[in-house]
Amino acid sequence: VVAGNTMLDPSIAEQGNPLDPTVASGFTAHQLRVLELLASGASNVEICQRLGVSVKSVEHAITTIINSLGIDSRDPKVNPRVSAAIAYMRMLSTPR
């Protein structure tokens, strides 16, 4: 945390799905940027302001991302945004 990294409680980290590189390669540049901003903790409004797009565009991208990652947004034990952020962080830490 001191070095600028983010710390997650292990019980939260467990709910994330690893991001399959084939799934990541299927994302558009816009979706990857939305995912990056989502993982940084930005709200939908902050994301749309940073990208210069509508809130509807951001909401659509997030829905597509969550569905592509296979995250069950209906499961009350799962926070889809947290799971998507964890998947993004795992993608960054996976050697290519």
Side-chain angles (χ1 to χ4, degrees):
V1 173
V2 173
N5 296 317
T6 303
M7 185 180 122
L8 289 173
D9 181 284
S11 65
I12 293 172
E14 287 173 2
Q15 68 176 272
N17 299 339
L19 185 56
D20 182 330
T22 59
V23 171
S25 67
F27 288 145
T28 65
H30 173 70
Q31 291 165 340
L32 286 172
R33 184 69 179 131
V34 168
L35 181 55
E36 175 187 18
L37 291 168
L38 180 148
S40 76
S43 68
N44 288 7
V45 171
E46 291 169 328
I47 294 169
C48 77
Q49 290 170 343
R50 298 265 302 270
L51 299 180
V53 298
S54 70
V55 173
K56 188 169 182 135
S57 172
V58 170
E59 290 170 347
H60 177 71
I62 291 172
T63 298
T64 301
I65 290 164
I66 288 170
N67 290 337
S68 295
L69 293 173
I71 296 168
D72 184 0
S73 59
R74 296 168 299 176
D75 185 340
K77 297 180 210 161
V78 173
N79 180 316
R81 290 179 77 97
V82 171
S83 294
I86 292 167
Y88 177 74
M89 289 185 276
R90 287 184 178 160
M91 177 186 74
L92 294 179
S93 66
T94 302
R96 293 190 172 115

